[in-house]
Amino acid sequence: MNGNLKLALQKKGRLTEKSLELLSLCGLDIENYSERLVVSVRNFPLDILFLRDDDIPEYVQDGVADIGIVGENVVYEKQTGTKVLEKLGFGRCSLMFAYPEKNELKKIEDINGKTIATTYPRILNEYLKKNNIKAKVIELSGSVEIAPSLGVADLICDIVSTGNTLMMNKLKKSFKVFESEAVLISAEEKLKDPKLNEILNDLLGRIRSVKTAHSSKYLMMNVPKDSLETILEIIPSLKSPTVLSLAEENMLAVHAVIPSDKFWQIVNDLKSAGASGILLLPIDNLIQ
Ligand code: PRT
Ligand code: ZN
């Protein structure tokens, strides 16, 4: 016990790189981790444990790690009782039904009496029960997409992101069972050890600031003084915009933090209202 907070991450897989990137954006200086089980962070009281993603909820629940980063699909399938502290915005995917192209699946009731192959039997069974559907569930440990062509199942229930795997296996996607993204989990909402809880809150604050910064941009522009009111009405600002005077007397500079996805919706309105020299800049961190 060195007093550090212990974070479990996927050792090698789809979530590894994005998780490390998030920590690095949080200002954490992580030593070269290749092939090591535990790595310390140089400038933050955190030890990172590299594990298989399927084991992370259990290790967190048992206290081997205090917190973990894992897909919601794994959290809900394992049902270890861990709590989701924060959604992290990467590793997005859906658990979906898919069936051979030559067949039809128009309504969810058409699944009645069918055989479904999946690696997520718990989430699937819960969904079937909720929708009052009786079907046979076959649990496989991988390569679910080949089950229909092998004659093992009528349809599958699997994770889909781009849909390429389904296409290559001549399967059509159908109803969505569950949507997932990477999440930060812990055994309890608040850690028992107050020191560890303080470190966790520091980390959570940084993660939230990185998330807000990534979904925001810094907007700068020059506006004629008499259009200021119209311009301020157009800007979907997170906080009150900054208005600065310029050397040119009848012009002002307006600066605001806006949600990134709103920019292209408002840019024409800004121009029509007389804004010029419009600049949109990325933000590294945004502490609110
Ligand atoms: O070795 P370890 O057990 O740690 O890793 P793993 O192989 O079990 O998991 P990994 O690295 O494949 O995925 C980790 C997590 O990433 C998952 O639990 C999901 O939360 C998330 N994720 C995001 C995905 C996908 N996208 C994804 N596309 N997990 C799996 N897939 C697979 C899917 O199972 C299917 O085989 O990719 C295929 C479909 O992809 P598309 O793009 O062709 O639709
Ligand atoms: Zn796994």
Side-chain angles (χ1 to χ4, degrees):
M1 292 291 270
N2 55 6
N4 286 355
L5 185 71
K6 291 194 287 303
L7 163 70
L9 282 195
Q10 189 185 20
K11 185 173 170 62
K12 202 171 173 205
R14 284 169 208 266
L15 302 183
T16 312
E17 202 182 309
K18 288 273 181 187
S19 305
L20 290 167
E21 193 183 301
L22 172 66
L23 296 177
S24 153
L25 286 168
C26 288
L28 273 53
D29 185 2
I30 300 155
E31 288 175 43
N32 182 6
Y33 76 98
S34 60
E35 300 310 315
R36 284 168 58 193
L37 183 64
V38 188
V39 159
S40 304
V41 173
R42 256 190 268 265
N43 56 353
F44 194 82
L46 183 80
D47 292 340
I48 304 175
L49 278 67
F50 289 96
L51 304 164
R52 279 202 57 197
D53 69 342
D54 314 70
D55 298 333
I56 292 177
E58 202 172 315
Y59 278 133
V60 168
Q61 193 59 32
D62 294 349
V64 177
D66 303 300
I67 51 174
I69 293 180
V70 69
E72 277 173 300
N73 50 319
V74 176
V75 176
Y76 290 103
E77 183 60 28
K78 298 291 172 194
Q79 292 183 6
T80 53
T82 51
K83 309 281 181 296
V84 171
L85 297 179
E86 187 77 16
K87 296 201 177 212
L88 300 175
F90 61 87
R92 286 208 171 91
C93 55
S94 307
L95 186 63
M96 298 183 96
F97 288 110
Y99 58 98
E101 277 168 358
K102 56 183 187 328
N103 298 352
E104 289 269 351
L105 188 65
K106 287 212 175 100
K107 45 187 193 317
I108 190 78
E109 289 75 24
D110 293 345
I111 294 174
N112 265 312
K114 298 271 192 297
T115 305
I116 315 165
T118 190
T119 40
Y120 294 90
R122 273 192 173 159
I123 299 179
L124 174 58
N125 275 316
E126 221 166 84
Y127 179 88
L128 294 175
K129 203 167 147 199
K130 212 172 73 197
N131 287 281
N132 217 359
I133 288 162
K134 298 244 172 328
K136 188 175 172 198
V137 173
I138 296 184
E139 183 180 353
L140 300 179
S141 56
S143 305
V144 173
E145 63 280 358
I146 59 170
S149 61
L150 293 179
V152 177
D154 301 308
L155 66 160
I156 65 167
C157 180
D158 197 15
I159 297 281
V160 180
S161 58
T162 61
N164 288 341
T165 308
L166 294 185
M167 220 165 61
M168 275 172 1
N169 288 280
K170 297 197 166 38
L171 297 169
K172 261 198 288 194
K173 60 180 161 188
S174 179
F175 306 100
K176 193 180 283 181
V177 172
F178 189 81
E179 273 190 66
S180 174
E181 66 184 88
V183 288
L184 186 75
I185 56 166
S186 71
E188 302 292 335
E189 251 130 58
K190 201 164 173 268
L191 299 181
K192 285 193 191 81
D193 181 324
K195 282 224 172 74
L196 291 180
N197 205 50
E198 211 173 289
I199 304 170
L200 172 60
N201 283 334
D202 185 348
L203 183 65
L204 265 175
R206 293 182 190 208
I207 290 175
R208 285 174 186 146
S209 111
V210 168
K211 272 177 62 189
T212 331
H214 269 226
S215 57
S216 311
K217 288 258 158 64
Y218 196 72
L219 174 69
M220 294 164 75
M221 67 198 140
N222 295 340
V223 306
K225 252 185 193 159
D226 47 14
S227 317
L228 181 65
E229 222 170 292
T230 321
I231 298 260
L232 293 185
E233 270 169 28
I234 299 170
I235 303 175
S237 189
L238 291 183
K239 277 193 207 137
S240 172
T242 309
V243 179
L244 305 159
S245 43
L246 290 173
E248 203 176 327
E249 218 177 79
N250 52 359
M251 293 294 280
L252 294 167
V254 175
H255 296 187
V257 176
I258 62 161
S260 318
D261 57 351
K262 294 275 160 48
F263 178 69
W264 295 106
Q265 292 168 24
I266 61 163
V267 67
N268 286 330
D269 293 344
L270 292 174
K271 279 201 238 161
S272 317
S276 58
I278 301 172
L279 263 179
L280 194 67
L281 304 173
I283 302 171
D284 273 347
N285 266 291
L286 196 114
I287 323 283
Q288 285 182 313

